[in-house]
């Protein structure tokens, strides 16, 4: 079945540095990828929609310059948290929609990245 | 967003009993609904889905019921097992958009 690999699974960084999270579709081409943020004991909040070869569409309230998204190929999208601060600490999850819509539920989710900013 | 600041309700059930997890969705135009299971530190896993032209759909040990009149979705898990312990989210979407909106979530605890 469709598999999405997200890396790293966890990262600790110092305040002020930038962190890149990768989301790869391993056995399918992902025309659209989504980035979510999840705080402890809360639901998934959509941050942005990433389309291959075009600029990401950000949800209201999400800072474009802080959360840089690049979807350079049909199998890779990256989220870069720039100048990270402790309030950016969260669980970040990507999901991918395959062009043939083979994923159950339409999308396959990555395993998430736990970001801790100290 | 509709989920900001909310904390997960918890449902505790005895092993072997049936579980019913409820979800109220927000958009009357939504026509596709999905239940996901999320274990600690992992991404959501697909459980079952249903389209708005159906009221009920069954899978292996799971059943989803949809009541469009009151915008309510439920997930029934038969003979709940310890491995079912997780957080369960419903998600809604509608034709013409790729966005999924996730519900609050419910933590299911299976008691031995």
């Amino acid at each position: 079945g469709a598999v999405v690999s997200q890396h790293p699974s966890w990262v600790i960084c110092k305040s002020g540095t930038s962190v890149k999270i990768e989301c790869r579709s391993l056995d399918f081409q992902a025309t659209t990828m989504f980035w979510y943020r999840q705080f402890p004991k809360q639901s998934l909040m959509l941050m942005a929609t990433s389309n291959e070869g075009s600029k990401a569409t950000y949800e209201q309230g999400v800072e474009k310059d802080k959360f840089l998204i690049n979807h350079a190929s049909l199998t890779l999208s990256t989220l870069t948290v720039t100048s990270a601060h402790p309030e950016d600490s969260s669980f970040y999850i990507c999901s991918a929609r395959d062009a043939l819509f083979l994923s159950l539920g339409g999308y396959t989710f990555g395993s998430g990245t736990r970001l801790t900013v100290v | 967003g509709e989920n900001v600041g909310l904390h997960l309700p918890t449902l505790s059930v005895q092993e072997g009993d049936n579980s019913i997890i409820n979800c109220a969705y927000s958009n009357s135009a939504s026509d596709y609904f999905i239940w996901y299971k999320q274990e600690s530190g992992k991404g959501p896993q697909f459980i079952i889905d249903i389209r708005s032209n159906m009221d009920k759909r069954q899978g292996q040990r799971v059943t989803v019921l949809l009541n469009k009149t009151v915008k309510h979705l439920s997930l029934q898990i038969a003979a709940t097992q310890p491995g079912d312990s997780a957080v369960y989210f419903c998600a809604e979407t509608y034709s013409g958009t790729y966005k999924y909106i996730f519900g609050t979530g419910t933590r299911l605890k299976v008691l031995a």
Side-chain angles (χ1 to χ4, degrees), chain A residues 34 38 42-43 59 105 107, chain B residues 6 8 38 98-100 103:
Chain A
F34 298 88
Q38 186 177 32
Q42 292 191 24
S43 189
E59 294 300 299
Y107 298 95
Chain B
L6 299 176
L8 296 172
Q38 186 181 27
Y98 294 153
K99 295 183 183 180
Y100 283 15

Side-chain angles (χ1 to χ4, degrees), chain A residues 6-11 91-92 111-115, chain B residues 41:
Chain A
Q6 191 171 338
H7 180 81
S9 56
W10 62 270
V11 58
F91 193 57
Y92 293 87
S111 53
T113 297
R114 173 74 59 196
L115 170 63

Side-chain angles (χ1 to χ4, degrees), chain A residues 31-32 34 36 38 40-46 49 51 57-59 91 93 97 101 103-112 114, chain B residues 1-8 32 34 36 38 41-46 49 51 87 89 97-105 107:
Chain A
T31 52
T32 306
F34 298 88
Y36 294 85
Q38 186 177 32
K41 297 184 180 180
Q42 292 191 24
S43 189
L44 284 74
M45 296 293 295
L46 180 64
T49 303
N51 293 299
T57 303
Y58 290 81
E59 294 300 299
F91 193 57
I93 307 170
R97 179 180 187 272
F101 211 72
S103 306
L104 290 173
Y107 298 95
T108 302
F109 286 83
S111 53
R114 173 74 59 196
Chain B
E2 54 269 22
N3 297 311
V4 174
L6 299 176
H7 294 275
L8 296 172
Y32 182 53
I34 313 99
Y36 288 96
Q38 186 181 27
K42 297 183 179 180
Q45 295 175 279
F46 172 90
D49 59 359
R51 297 202 174 274
V87 177
F89 293 99
T97 182
Y98 294 153
K99 295 183 183 180
Y100 283 15
I101 304 299
F102 282 79
T104 309
R107 180 177 301 282

Side-chain angles (χ1 to χ4, degrees), chain A:
Chain A
V3 176
V4 170
S5 173
Q6 191 171 338
H7 180 81
S9 56
W10 62 270
V11 58
I12 300 173
C13 71
K14 290 185 177 180
S15 188
T17 62
S18 296
V19 174
K20 181 184 284 188
I21 302 170
E22 292 187 348
C23 181
R24 293 180 183 273
S25 57
L26 297 186
D27 49 4
F28 66 98
Q29 293 185 329
T31 52
T32 306
M33 289 186 174
F34 298 88
W35 287 95
Y36 294 85
R37 183 174 182 176
Q38 186 177 32
F39 290 107
K41 297 184 180 180
Q42 292 191 24
S43 189
L44 284 74
M45 296 293 295
L46 180 64
M47 298 175 66
T49 303
S50 169
N51 293 299
E52 186 267 335
S54 63
K55 290 184 178 180
T57 303
Y58 290 81
E59 294 300 299
Q60 191 173 7
V62 177
E63 298 176 59
K64 300 179 183 181
D65 295 332
K66 178 143 194 76
F67 300 100
L68 300 179
I69 292 172
N70 184 282
H71 194 157
S73 76
L74 284 171
T75 59
L76 175 64
S77 176
T78 60
L79 168 68
T80 301
V81 183
T82 62
S83 187
H85 288 95
E87 57 265 30
D88 298 324
S89 298
S90 191
F91 193 57
Y92 293 87
I93 307 170
C94 70
S95 71
R97 179 180 187 272
D98 70 82
L100 299 179
F101 211 72
L102 296 176
S103 306
L104 290 173
Y107 298 95
T108 302
F109 286 83
S111 53
T113 297
R114 173 74 59 196
L115 170 63
T116 302
V117 185
V118 297

Side-chain angles (χ1 to χ4, degrees), chain B residues 37-87:
Chain B
K37 174 185 180 182
Q38 186 181 27
E39 297 178 52
S40 182
K42 297 183 179 180
Q45 295 175 279
F46 172 90
I47 301 174
I48 192 168
D49 59 359
I50 188 168
R51 297 202 174 274
S52 59
N53 60 353
M54 301 174 69
D55 298 324
K56 178 180 179 179
R57 190 159 189 233
Q58 289 183 295
Q60 190 172 19
R61 278 204 309 121
V62 294
T63 300
V64 54
L65 299 178
L66 174 62
N67 185 330
K68 295 180 288 293
T69 303
V70 295
K71 294 191 289 186
H72 184 267
L73 199 64
S74 69
L75 175 69
Q76 300 177 1
I77 304 174
T80 312
Q81 302 169 359
D84 295 326
S85 293
V87 177

